[in-house]
Amino acid sequence: MSNGSAAPIRSKWMSNAGSKRETSSKIPASSRTGLGSFFASDRFRYPSERVYVSRNHQWAYAAWEMARLADSAKFSSGGATLLHVDAHLDDTWDGVLAEGLFAVNSPQSALEVAGRLEIDNFIWAGWAAGVIDRVVYVCPKGLDDSDPFDLSGWNLTGEQLRPLRDLLAKKAYTGHRFESVRELREGLGSSGDVRKLLAPQDQPVILDLDLDVFKLYPERLEDRELMPDDRVREELVYLRDLYPYDLLTVALSPSFCGGEENSARLLGLVREVFGLAEEESVPW
């Protein structure tokens, strides 16, 4: 985006079939040994590039809120478009119930709210809080082929979903879904098409990447095989060059991409493609 001072990055308690919550997001610290500084911290960032990395995906919400707090003018006309590239939709709605969600006014309070979220409900939390307005999903359908924007099967008249119903009365949950980076590339022609999809009203755009999207068979939790490095690198280069993002959030998700070694390997490719120097990372 051109209206901020920082240069942009270039280089359903509903039954969600593909929900990651079925597997614990809590990984024992002992399982993080042997990989040096790759996982020296569960959260680290690259300040000069505005890239935030976390072990578990719900912390991305805190990074989005920090970006809004740091540059309120950029978000003055509304929330960002989220380009969510992930093996899972992460579209469980109960994130809207998180304590303190509507009172975030500092990085610390953003972190406190993120700590109350789960690895599959942080997008709805961001939407409810207004830091996200639209979501473009790039998620394979092998785990969940549902339409994340079709709420017709939800019992919105029931008392359980009343908080969600009240929010939806004020604004719609909108966006688009692609099944893969390849489909995204084939579906977008000109740069004008990209802007129409991601920033039709010149809103901020956040690339939200979960490394488990590069697992070859994400629907097979026990299968550890990744896509070939050349394909991962090609897709990362395409995503990098697609748009001048205002923020990049990355989830390591080792338990969903085949383990610590796989996650470290994929993070290395992200660093290579986005030009991130390991020594410049700091905890957050």
Side-chain angles (χ1 to χ4, degrees):
M1 306 296 289
S2 59
N3 56 339
S5 57
I9 297 170
R10 288 302 306 179
S11 330
K12 278 172 184 174
W13 285 320
M14 303 299 293
S15 176
N16 290 356
S19 174
K20 290 188 286 195
R21 205 180 300 186
E22 297 168 8
T23 299
S24 174
S25 63
K26 307 301 183 183
I27 310 296
S30 60
S31 70
R32 298 198 292 270
T33 60
L35 288 173
S37 58
F38 268 116
F39 302 132
S41 169
D42 278 353
R43 301 192 306 271
F44 50 95
R45 63 189 178 96
Y46 300 85
S48 64
E49 301 294 337
R50 288 171 296 118
V51 177
Y52 285 74
V53 182
S54 60
R55 183 180 188 84
N56 294 323
H57 211 158
Q58 68 264 37
W59 297 102
Y61 162 80
W64 307 339
E65 286 286 18
M66 289 176 183
R68 177 164 65 168
L69 289 165
D71 194 348
S72 58
K74 188 172 290 186
F75 289 82
S76 60
S77 60
T81 294
L82 186 72
L83 178 58
H84 177 71
V85 184
D86 194 322
H88 306 79
L89 291 172
D90 296 342
D91 67 334
T92 304
W93 74 271
D94 60 347
V96 309
L97 302 176
E99 182 184 351
L101 181 65
F102 302 104
V104 171
N105 58 10
S106 67
Q108 182 58 38
S109 59
L111 288 166
E112 289 170 358
V113 171
R116 301 180 185 116
L117 296 173
E118 298 285 349
I119 56 175
D120 62 354
N121 67 4
F122 59 95
I123 294 178
W124 273 95
W127 172 84
V131 70
I132 300 297
D133 269 355
R134 304 173 64 251
V135 186
V136 176
Y137 291 95
V138 181
C139 304
K141 294 185 177 180
L143 282 165
D144 186 350
D145 64 357
S146 65
D147 179 354
F149 307 106
D150 180 7
L151 310 184
S152 59
W154 296 24
N155 182 21
L156 292 173
T157 61
E159 189 63 26
Q160 186 182 43
L161 272 70
R162 181 176 180 178
L164 182 61
R165 181 175 70 244
D166 292 345
L167 287 166
L168 289 168
K170 300 174 183 176
K171 64 175 182 176
Y173 189 71
T174 62
H176 196 90
R177 180 178 184 173
F178 296 90
E179 189 172 3
S180 64
V181 172
R182 187 167 299 172
E183 185 183 50
L184 174 67
R185 177 164 31 191
E186 292 172 353
L188 291 175
S190 67
S191 59
D193 293 331
V194 174
R195 180 163 288 279
K196 183 177 179 180
L197 175 71
L198 297 179
Q201 298 177 332
D202 200 35
Q203 59 262 64
V205 179
I206 298 169
L207 173 58
D208 179 53
L209 176 66
D210 193 316
L211 299 186
D212 69 2
V213 77
F214 298 119
K215 191 176 173 188
L216 194 58
Y217 304 106
E219 68 277 8
R220 306 177 191 171
L221 186 60
E222 301 306 318
D223 191 303
R224 297 166 57 89
E225 188 173 2
L226 298 177
M227 295 178 185
D229 283 4
D230 286 349
R231 179 177 169 189
V232 174
R233 191 177 287 109
E234 176 188 348
E235 294 196 354
L236 286 171
V237 168
Y238 174 76
L239 291 169
R240 180 196 68 192
D241 295 341
L242 182 65
Y243 196 82
Y245 307 106
D246 296 278
L247 185 70
L248 168 61
T249 49
V250 180
L252 300 171
S253 299
S255 56
F256 294 97
C257 61
E260 304 285 334
E261 290 78 11
N262 278 4
S263 190
R265 170 181 157 192
L266 292 169
L267 178 59
L269 291 171
V270 170
R271 283 172 166 159
E272 173 192 324
V273 170
F274 284 86
L276 305 174
E278 182 178 350
E279 62 272 15
E280 292 181 4
S281 67
V282 296
W284 64 283

